[in-house]
Amino acid sequence: MGLIPLKIDEIYETKILRLNNEGEGIAKVSGVIVFIKNALKGEFAKIKIKEIKKNYAVGEIIEIIENSNERIKPII
């Protein structure tokens, strides 16, 4: 994929900077924007790269290292 320095299935630790209009977390890893489902702004997480596009990547959370203040446990 040329210019993007990330690889599929590699694991990174990153901070979630903000959310997009679809509610996905946005992080930057090695200068590349990464969209991450189920992430909240302010969290620090271990992510795995699942997909690489021309200008961005898609990742998934492997482990939340530091929770956001906005994350709550579901009532069961």
Side-chain angles (χ1 to χ4, degrees), residues 35-64:
F35 296 103
I36 307 154
K37 284 187 179 182
N38 302 318
L40 295 175
K41 178 183 174 182
E43 289 185 321
F44 191 71
K46 191 178 289 190
I47 64 165
K48 182 184 226 181
I49 303 299
K50 298 307 287 176
E51 196 174 341
I52 297 176
K53 299 290 187 176
K54 183 177 179 183
N55 297 317
Y56 65 93
V58 177
E60 69 178 6
I61 293 176
I62 300 297
E63 176 187 356
I64 297 173

Side-chain angles (χ1 to χ4, degrees), residues 4-72:
I4 294 191
L6 306 179
K7 293 185 178 152
I8 291 178
D9 291 333
E10 281 194 346
I11 295 174
Y12 301 91
E13 291 182 1
T14 188
K15 184 159 184 102
I16 309 305
L17 304 172
R18 60 186 180 279
L19 299 179
N20 68 9
N21 61 347
E22 295 179 11
E24 295 173 313
I26 299 175
K28 231 178 192 180
V29 178
S30 299
V32 178
I33 296 292
V34 181
F35 296 103
I36 307 154
K37 284 187 179 182
N38 302 318
L40 295 175
K41 178 183 174 182
E43 289 185 321
F44 191 71
K46 191 178 289 190
I47 64 165
K48 182 184 226 181
I49 303 299
K50 298 307 287 176
E51 196 174 341
I52 297 176
K53 299 290 187 176
K54 183 177 179 183
N55 297 317
Y56 65 93
V58 177
E60 69 178 6
I61 293 176
I62 300 297
E63 176 187 356
I64 297 173
I65 298 168
E66 185 178 316
N67 281 329
S68 165
N69 293 335
E70 297 176 17
R71 186 169 295 278
I72 59 172

